[in-house]
Amino acid sequence: DFPIFITSIHLSMKFFISQMWSVSPSVEKIEPLTCRTWSTVVFPIGLLIAVDIILSNTAILFLPLSLVTSIKGSSLIFTFLWGIIIEIEKFQWNLLLAVLGITLGLAIAVANSLQVNAVGVALAFGAACAGGLRWALLQLLEFKDPQSKSVMVTLYRFTPASLISVLPLVLMIEADKLYSSTFWRHKKDLYDAILLCSFGGLFAFALVVVEVKLVRLTSALTMSVFGQIKEVVQIFLAMMLFGENLTFKSGVGIAVSILASIYYRYVI
């Protein structure tokens, strides 16, 4: 019921860890960015991360997790398109074929879902679009700022923008509901929830470190392709933990997605 509040805890953990790292004696001085780079690249990255997480967490309130995961698989297409638009990727037909194959496979995997809600679908597609642009801009940041080739410097640069973007939304949208909820009346439940979300924030931090490192070693598009393996795992977990059925069609879709990922690895 509090997707934005949960998001703020995750982002707070990322902000706290990156800021603590930056004051470590072993860390070289981090040079400030130009106003243009911060306003056109770094702040949009932070904002898009917040938008992606908020829309994803909210979409789960309307749709099964497996369906949200499938729709977010379309972020691969958005990453491909944004990469071409900002000129960090070159258009290639074989790459487009691989991208469409992976996305089609994920779509087939949950095509038999009857729990479709238009609001949830719109939220999930919005998250996919935001995620695609975020990864493209992360790759662009490396070109504009040599220090951002370091994963931790990259996190240090955009985590404040992420947190700044989401805190006003917590206050405007969820503060009253949180204040009137049982969490506020039973402080132990609130503290337990914050602690649990903090652990989730640590896992989220570890995940984003790996994802940013992949972008640095390869490209935004390649990272998105490898990210589809995570989506496949999420679909399996949703089916096992939440009782979402794995049909023959779902199995075929997952197989198509995996084969397309292998094809992509072959053509790059």
Side-chain angles (χ1 to χ4, degrees), residues 13-224:
M13 292 296 297
K14 295 175 184 178
F15 172 78
F16 176 75
I17 294 172
S18 63
Q19 295 301 310
M20 291 296 292
W21 169 84
S22 70
V23 299
S24 171
S26 61
V27 176
E28 296 182 6
K29 180 182 178 182
I30 302 175
E31 299 296 334
L33 295 173
T34 64
C35 290
R36 180 179 176 83
T37 299
W38 189 87
S39 61
T40 61
V41 181
V42 175
F43 181 76
I45 289 173
L47 176 62
L48 289 165
I49 288 173
V51 169
D52 183 1
I53 298 174
I54 289 172
L55 293 182
S56 299
N57 289 345
T58 307
I60 294 173
L61 301 178
F62 297 91
L63 299 172
L65 178 59
S66 59
L67 184 55
V68 173
T69 300
S70 176
I71 295 172
K72 285 202 64 184
S74 64
S75 65
L76 187 57
I77 294 178
F78 289 113
T79 302
F80 182 65
L81 294 176
W82 285 120
I84 293 172
I85 291 171
I86 65 178
E87 299 181 340
I88 60 172
E89 294 283 352
K90 292 183 179 179
F91 179 83
Q92 298 180 50
W93 284 106
N94 52 3
L95 290 183
L96 178 61
L97 181 62
V99 166
L100 291 176
I102 295 169
T103 305
L104 176 64
L106 288 171
I108 293 174
V110 293
N112 61 330
S113 176
L114 299 178
Q115 297 172 271
V116 177
N117 179 285
V119 174
V121 170
L123 291 170
F125 269 116
C129 183
L133 180 54
R134 166 183 43 147
W135 293 120
L137 288 176
L138 268 172
Q139 188 173 346
L140 181 62
L141 177 61
E142 180 183 356
F143 298 147
K144 291 183 172 291
D145 173 40
Q147 277 194 307
S148 290
K149 291 181 180 180
S150 164
V151 173
M152 290 304 297
V153 171
T154 300
L155 294 174
Y156 169 80
R157 296 217 188 276
F158 70 67
T159 49
S162 296
L163 191 57
I164 291 171
S165 300
V166 76
L167 286 180
L169 296 177
V170 175
L171 296 175
M172 290 187 297
I173 299 175
E174 292 186 349
D176 289 342
K177 185 166 63 171
L178 182 63
Y179 181 74
S180 60
S181 70
T182 56
F183 282 113
W184 197 260
R185 293 193 297 271
H186 301 88
K187 291 297 192 294
K188 183 180 182 302
D189 291 340
L190 177 63
Y191 298 148
D192 288 344
I194 292 175
L195 181 62
L196 182 61
C197 290
S198 297
F199 278 115
L202 291 175
F203 283 112
F205 178 83
L207 178 60
V208 77
V209 167
V210 173
E211 291 175 333
V212 173
K213 186 66 174 179
L214 278 174
V215 173
R216 295 291 174 260
L217 294 175
T218 56
S219 69
L221 182 59
T222 300
M223 192 288 305
S224 294

